[in-house]
Amino acid sequence: MAEVTDSMAHAPISSEKFDLSVEQVSLHFETPNGVLKAVDEVSFGVETGRFVGLVGPSGCGKSSLLLMMAGLQKATFGDIIVEGEPLTGPRPQDVGVIFQESSLLPWKTASENVEFPLALRGVDKAERKQLATDMLKLVGLSGFEDRHPFELSGGMKQRVSIARGFCQDPRILLMDEPFAALDEQTRMTLGDELLRIWEGHRKTVVFVTHSLTEAVYLCDDVIVMSAQPGRILERIEIDLPRPRTYETMATADFGRLRDRIWRLIRGSE
Amino acid sequence: MGRDSCEAPFISPATLRWLFLAVIVVVWELVPRLGLVPSVMLAPASEAMIAGFQDFGTFARALGITFGQLASALIFAYGIGALAGLLLGSVYFLRETLLPIVSSIYAVPLVIVYPLLTAWVGIGPESKVIFGALYGFFPMALSVAAGVQTVDRQYILAARSMGARTSQILFQIMLPASVPSILSGLRIGGAMTAIGVVVAEMMAATGGIGFLITQNRTMFNTAEVYFGIFLVLILTGLLDMFIRLMERCFTNWYPKET
Ligand SMILES: Nc1ncnc2c1ncn2[C@@H]1O[C@H](COP(=O)(O)OP(=O)(O)O)[C@@H](O)[C@H]1O
Ligand SMILES: [Mg+2]
């Protein structure tokens, strides 16, 4: 079993400093072969405006953790504190989620999809349409407002998803492998666009990915998790200067950080 | 789409469809005329039409009765069926307890309850509406329930994370996401309702096309029987047009076929 670094596991967490703090959270599932510990006593905090990555082997509980942070799944033990209050269910003004592109509603147009979180909270039609149009423009989809998802490419659909997340305008945005279904080039472009929008809006972000390159490229910190039971191995600060570009990826520092994460994950399996 | 890979057809599929219908009518006319089949068994198309127009008033009244009963039965079958399907498919408790029962009853030939039904409500139009609605209810409810159950969990998670309440999830996610199944429920449920109404008329009734068909059959008026069948086909054709119209209205978010 990999050793858990002392500073991480027992760091006192004062939730005031943080937009989001995960405190001693465990998630157990009852299965025919006994209890499955999907997430095991995980604690970390995310400071306001920080872009934090979450990586680890497949099945280590990243998605489960994200669902709990969104208030969509109840933790077996522990608390998730958002804005000083423990989460008991979804709080759309505080926490939003950007899923993979397949979560767009196929019967709604791009604009209606982006408007949907606003429609749910009763924002009037003209106002939300304007906001959606602006947001679609920001992700480079002007002129595609009235298209249905089946008429858009995978990359375009994911842009709509991102626009929807930002249009909901929560303080914290959670993303679960948002670019996983896309090809390499689209993925790179969208990563850059996400950073550009984030620089403008400065939301607190938790970003799950299985691509280590993507994690190092996008994040301020990367939290590395171990295979089952899902625990935190280490939190690595990515001290590469921003704005980052394609050249950043070729630097020695970049390679060193990615290797370090890779060794941690491989060691835990 | 797919056009480039195969040669452009000689005749369009729509024209072919009409041509096919025309061939059936011609065969219907010629087979008894040429004496291949005795005309007590199959009356030529022209004779059926003439018989129908000679007794136009009777047939028109019967058509009106059947149409009214079918329309009322459809309203109940579709309305109650959709609501029941939505609840049966989405409420965990109902899905585990009632849905399997409803699904088993669907397999029972419901004709067996018709004698009871007429004993309760008589052989007037009410029994036709109830019987037709009963026939259409099951496929409608089961299609909608199946559709609701297979709604992508991602849509529901996303909607909940955006703050959707239970009623918003039911009507803004579950319902539209089930449109393909609802449409197939309309189609199968509609056909079953039409069967229910006409069969009920044929078994015990005071009016309607089914009643006329049975009456004329016992008197060996073959031409009138065929005209009755022709009218039933017209009714189901109308039903089919209605369902196509619904399909066109509700599925603009699918890739287009041609
Ligand atoms: N509803 C569930 N019931 C039982 N086991 C589950 C459930 N959801 C997830 N798991 C298990 O929990 C573990 C973590 O899953 P997940 O959070 O999806 O991992 P990741 O996103 O890191 O790949 C996996 O072993 C998975 O099989
Ligand atoms: Mg996952």
Side-chain angles (χ1 to χ4, degrees):
Chain A
M1 173 124 337
E3 208 174 308
V4 177
T5 48
D6 255 353
S7 61
M8 261 323 300
H10 305 294
I13 291 173
S14 75
S15 40
E16 287 107 61
K17 248 175 77 195
F18 301 107
D19 247 10
L20 170 76
S21 74
V22 174
E23 304 190 344
Q24 298 285 310
V25 164
S26 299
L27 179 66
H28 297 176
F29 288 113
E30 301 284 347
T31 70
N33 321 320
V35 174
L36 178 117
K37 293 186 175 180
V39 177
D40 194 30
E41 297 197 12
V42 165
S43 300
F44 63 89
V46 183
E47 289 162 288
T48 305
R50 230 168 151 77
F51 200 122
V52 174
L54 203 55
V55 299
S58 178
C60 74
K62 305 179 295 290
S63 296
S64 305
L65 200 48
L66 220 71
L67 287 179
M68 291 190 285
M69 290 190 267
L72 294 170
Q73 163 95 57
K74 214 173 142 358
T76 313
F77 301 111
D79 280 315
I80 307 230
I81 316 281
V82 174
E83 309 270 312
E85 293 259 337
L87 270 189
T88 52
R91 279 199 340 233
Q93 318 258 14
D94 290 334
V95 187
V97 189
I98 295 178
F99 295 93
Q100 288 193 1
E101 91 246 5
S102 56
S103 78
L104 289 185
L105 303 174
W107 58 90
K108 289 187 182 291
T109 62
S111 174
E112 287 165 348
N113 266 291
V114 176
E115 289 170 43
F116 191 54
L118 302 178
L120 286 174
R121 83 173 78 124
V123 175
D124 77 63
K125 180 79 189 162
E127 187 184 344
R128 64 180 201 242
K129 187 141 188 91
Q130 188 55 52
L131 286 167
T133 307
D134 294 346
M135 203 47 88
L136 282 169
K137 187 172 173 202
L138 196 64
V139 297
L141 285 181
S142 283
F144 291 90
E145 291 84 357
D146 296 327
R147 302 288 185 92
H148 284 90
F150 81 88
E151 299 167 293
L152 303 173
S153 69
M156 288 158 112
K157 280 188 270 196
Q158 195 51 49
R159 284 164 202 265
V160 177
S161 266
I162 292 173
R164 181 172 72 174
F166 278 90
C167 203
Q168 182 182 333
D169 200 25
R171 293 178 52 98
I172 304 164
L173 262 179
L174 311 175
M175 308 189 202
D176 191 1
E177 310 205 26
F179 306 147
L182 305 176
D183 61 80
E184 184 75 21
Q185 289 98 308
T186 313
R187 198 178 175 124
M188 297 280 301
T189 322
L190 274 182
D192 278 331
E193 301 224 343
L194 178 61
L195 280 186
R196 198 195 76 228
I197 299 168
W198 173 73
E199 311 261 340
H201 286 70
R202 277 291 162 172
K203 300 212 174 288
T204 307
V205 172
V206 178
F207 188 96
V208 171
T209 175
H210 61 244
S211 157
L212 303 188
T213 306
E214 194 171 78
V216 175
Y217 187 65
L218 297 175
C219 299
D220 294 318
D221 293 286
V222 174
I223 295 174
V224 186
M225 290 180 70
S226 69
Q228 259 179 47
R231 289 194 180 135
I232 293 183
L233 289 174
E234 204 170 321
R235 179 176 184 148
I236 296 173
E237 191 176 345
I238 310 295
D239 45 8
L240 302 170
R242 289 187 192 269
R244 297 172 190 164
T245 61
Y246 190 72
E247 279 71 47
T248 314
M249 281 190 224
T251 62
D253 284 343
F254 191 95
R256 187 177 45 74
L257 285 162
R258 197 185 45 200
D259 284 352
R260 193 161 146 218
I261 298 172
W262 169 235
R263 257 184 246 113
L264 274 168
I265 292 177
R266 204 177 41 182
S268 81
E269 275 176 336
Chain B
M1 250 184 265
R3 271 281 163 76
D4 39 26
S5 58
C6 58
E7 291 169 40
F10 232 46
I11 313 169
S12 81
T15 317
L16 266 179
R17 265 200 308 268
W18 287 109
L19 213 63
F20 187 64
L21 275 180
V23 168
I24 290 181
V25 172
V26 169
V27 170
W28 178 10
E29 179 68 27
L30 288 184
V31 166
R33 288 249 180 255
L34 296 173
L36 298 173
V37 170
S39 59
V40 251
M41 282 170 71
L42 179 62
S46 56
E47 276 180 27
M49 295 304 137
I50 292 167
F53 285 103
Q54 274 169 352
D55 212 352
F56 186 75
T58 313
F59 278 104
R61 227 172 301 124
L63 186 64
I65 291 172
T66 305
F67 181 82
Q69 289 170 353
L70 179 58
S72 320
L74 282 175
I75 290 173
F76 288 112
Y78 285 164
I80 302 175
L83 196 65
L86 198 58
L87 292 174
L88 286 173
S90 59
V91 180
Y92 176 80
F93 177 75
L94 297 178
R95 187 168 64 225
E96 294 296 309
T97 53
L98 276 183
L99 190 55
I101 300 178
V102 172
S103 164
S104 310
I105 297 179
Y106 182 39
V108 176
L110 292 172
V111 189
I112 55 174
V113 302
Y114 190 64
L116 286 175
L117 193 62
T118 51
W120 294 336
V121 299
I123 59 167
E126 297 83 7
S127 61
K128 314 299 170 291
V129 173
I130 295 174
F131 192 67
L134 193 65
Y135 245 71
F137 166 85
F138 287 93
M140 183 68 191
L142 289 171
S143 297
V144 175
V148 166
Q149 282 181 80
T150 51
V151 171
D152 196 330
R153 212 176 102 84
Q154 283 255 317
Y155 301 157
I156 297 167
L157 278 180
R160 280 181 56 210
S161 79
M162 290 179 242
R165 295 187 304 271
T166 307
S167 63
Q168 288 174 318
I169 287 179
L170 208 58
F171 291 105
Q172 296 190 45
I173 305 289
M174 304 284 234
L175 203 59
S178 316
V179 158
S181 317
I182 293 175
L183 289 173
S184 93
L186 290 184
R187 192 162 272 288
I188 307 170
M192 295 299 271
T193 306
I195 292 174
V197 169
V198 175
V199 165
E201 284 178 351
M202 293 177 83
M203 285 190 299
T206 52
I209 302 174
F211 171 72
L212 272 191
I213 291 175
T214 311
Q215 201 184 38
N216 281 298
R217 201 206 58 220
T218 51
M219 296 186 291
F220 295 100
N221 294 331
T222 311
E224 278 81 358
V225 170
Y226 276 95
F227 189 71
I229 294 173
F230 172 73
L231 289 183
V232 173
L233 293 181
I234 297 281
L235 266 187
T236 47
L238 280 178
L239 185 59
D240 188 64
M241 271 167 58
F242 163 74
I243 291 162
R244 276 170 203 273
L245 187 75
M246 301 295 271
E247 280 170 348
R248 208 145 341 122
C249 288
F250 288 111
T251 54
N252 64 338
W253 46 277
Y254 281 124
K256 297 284 172 290
E257 267 173 46
T258 47

